Amino acid sequence: MALPRPVVLGNWKMNGLRADGLALAGALAERAANLSGTLGIFPPATLVGEVARRVAGSPVIVGGQDCHEKPSGAFTGSVSAAMLADIGAGAAIVGHSERRHGLCEDDALVKAKAEAALAAGLLTVLCIGETEEEYLAGRQIEILERQLAGSLPGSGNADRLVVAYEPVWAIGTGRTPTIGEIGRTHAELARMVAAKVAGDPVALLYGGSVKPDNAADIMGIDHVDGVLVGGASLDAGGFWNIYTAGGGV
Ligand code: 13P
């Protein structure tokens, strides 16, 4: 069964000490007693367990922002997908551009992480997206096709896998592609993902400077099934407004 739409996910990145993170999660869980769509939050690894306990009983999904590709071993500082699942996570992001570019993660590593997350039973959010240079050269479809070919896990399906298109140049900048550009890119993305993943359509998210005031326009675009939100997910009211702007109740 495909994930209920809209699929609205909040990536807290490296933000949130215990008090703030638990307050934010609690405020969200209060609003989200019942959901027509899918709502998820991705706190820093230090808070995943406590946040999962804080929202327990609500349909809010809690996930990790990354996972190691191996289940255990001598990998100092890393967290495995099984460890995330063990503390109550239901999801993991893999391939975020801040890791692809900041930490030199390549497609093969991202694919291994995605497969590890799926093997641990986690909803797996695979991020892809072009750099500004690639965007200006009109190469976004070619780049997305290459990233999908290299990092899409072999075993994903519509209830376990989400693909998030996040143009690197739109993350944290206040700039977004135009509605027409997102529409064209997502139509291509839908075609490319459908050719690789059988069954129900995988949810395709847009990410990069999504705010309460542009969320409805972005989620109104064909083949945009939801959004992956960074900065604006750190405010419970604003994040909830993004979810409802996508038609979620
Ligand atoms: P911003 O919403 O802050 O641009 O971040 C997007 C993002 O990277 C979500 O993963």
Side-chain angles (χ1 to χ4, degrees), residues 11 13 93 96-98 127 166 170-174 207-211 228-232:
N11 174 8
K13 307 192 179 183
I93 295 172
H96 193 280
S97 76
E98 286 152 16
C127 298
E166 298 203 298
I171 294 176
T173 60
S209 296
V210 176
K211 308 285 177 218
L228 177 55
V229 185

Side-chain angles (χ1 to χ4, degrees), residues 5 128 140-141 144-145 148 152 158 161-165 181-206 221-225:
R5 276 44 165 176
I128 54 177
Q140 52 269 64
I141 303 304
L144 299 184
E145 194 143 38
L148 278 179
L152 197 68
L161 183 66
V162 170
V163 174
Y165 165 55
E181 285 173 328
I182 297 174
R184 282 192 293 280
T185 304
H186 271 252
E188 285 295 320
L189 201 52
R191 181 188 61 72
M192 294 189 280
V193 174
K196 293 183 187 300
V197 184
D200 289 332
V202 168
L204 304 179
L205 312 189
Y206 167 81
I221 302 170
D222 275 357
H223 301 297
V224 176
D225 302 306

